[in-house]
Amino acid sequence: MGRYVQLVMGPAGSGKSTYCATMMTHCQNIGRSVHLFNLDPAAEKFEYNPTIDIRDLITLEDVMEELQYGPNGGLIYCLEFLLNNMDWLEDELGEYEDDYLIIDCPGQIELYTHFPIMRRICECLQRMHFRICGVYLLESQFIQDNSKFFAGVMSAMSAMVSLEIPHINVLSKMDLLGKFKKRELERRAQIIVSYTCILS
């Protein structure tokens, strides 16, 4: 069948972990072999225990304590440490030949827009013969405010351009929109689609 990956990205609080849990439930219900890979060294709670966990290699708490880094610097250090120890990841992924992998990524969007870390991780996964699709979540409440909406669209576009992998934008938490006009929702969602089509 092959090796497939969903790289689940987006700002902190956009619903990535909830999305991952929903996908895990769906795949298990249809009998698809699926595994959750936690790529966030600061994560604490999961609805599904991850099969692969970067915290088995390095944790943000240890980095902050030992190196006196702040949260953002510590996170970058952790992911660079992973890149320098890709043999650990290859060993962890080696036994999942025909399985589906969902990667729950950290919420710092700088990792996708300002640093080449996530791109290098994608390149390493591709060398391991994984087919990768990026899923970028953006909280739907952002579309109610013009500045937040365009900031969200630009961050999604920046991640897509930086990673150069097939990319899907997802508006999450639709139930929190309340009485926002459906026509305005459709118009703004079409803008996101247009950006995706132009840059594909």
Side-chain angles (χ1 to χ4, degrees):
M1 185 183 298
R3 312 177 88 187
Y4 297 92
V5 169
Q6 275 193 38
L7 193 70
V8 183
M9 306 169 285
S14 59
K16 294 184 298 298
S17 295
T18 301
Y19 172 88
C20 289
T22 302
M23 285 301 301
M24 291 286 291
T25 300
H26 171 71
C27 289
Q28 290 176 356
N29 286 342
I30 63 173
R32 182 78 187 260
S33 181
V34 62
H35 301 279
L36 179 63
F37 175 13
N38 171 45
L39 194 58
D40 186 353
E44 295 179 352
K45 296 180 180 178
F46 299 95
E47 192 168 326
Y48 287 89
N49 288 327
T51 308
I52 303 169
D53 195 341
I54 190 175
R55 296 174 306 168
D56 294 335
L57 177 68
I58 189 169
T59 67
L60 180 60
E61 184 180 356
D62 289 343
V63 170
M64 291 174 64
E65 183 179 330
E66 292 178 19
L67 301 177
Q68 301 298 308
Y69 282 1
N72 289 337
L75 180 63
I76 292 168
Y77 180 91
C78 289
L79 293 178
E80 287 179 341
F81 187 83
L82 172 65
L83 285 171
N84 292 326
N85 293 274
M86 288 304 285
D87 52 338
W88 172 84
L89 184 57
E90 288 188 39
D91 290 342
E92 292 290 316
L93 296 174
E95 57 190 85
Y96 305 119
E97 286 298 328
D98 294 313
D99 296 349
Y100 200 94
L101 190 64
I102 298 173
I103 302 180
D104 192 356
C105 296
Q108 282 74 6
I109 60 172
E110 295 87 355
L111 295 170
Y112 320 105
T113 60
H114 293 75
F115 297 96
I117 295 173
M118 296 305 295
R119 180 178 179 136
R120 289 175 59 196
I121 290 174
C122 287
E123 290 169 352
C124 290
L125 289 169
Q126 288 168 335
R127 283 196 295 271
M128 290 183 236
H129 308 292
F130 279 98
R131 297 177 185 176
I132 309 172
C133 176
V135 178
Y136 195 95
L137 272 68
L138 187 64
E139 191 173 339
S140 58
Q141 288 179 306
F142 272 39
I143 68 174
Q144 294 178 296
D145 180 271
N146 287 337
S147 58
K148 286 184 179 180
F149 171 66
F150 282 106
V153 169
M154 295 303 289
S155 68
M157 182 180 68
S158 182
M160 179 173 62
V161 170
S162 174
L163 296 180
E164 293 186 347
I165 58 175
H167 183 101
I168 297 170
N169 294 314
V170 176
L171 288 174
S172 62
K173 303 184 180 180
M174 296 295 291
D175 56 316
L176 301 180
L177 276 181
K179 296 181 179 179
F180 194 65
K181 293 180 181 177
K182 183 179 179 184
R183 184 177 298 172
E184 181 65 11
L185 169 63
E186 291 174 351
R187 185 181 73 81
R188 295 194 178 196
Q190 186 59 43
I191 293 174
I192 296 176
V193 172
S194 297
Y195 273 113
T196 304
C197 293
I198 289 169
L199 293 164
S200 295

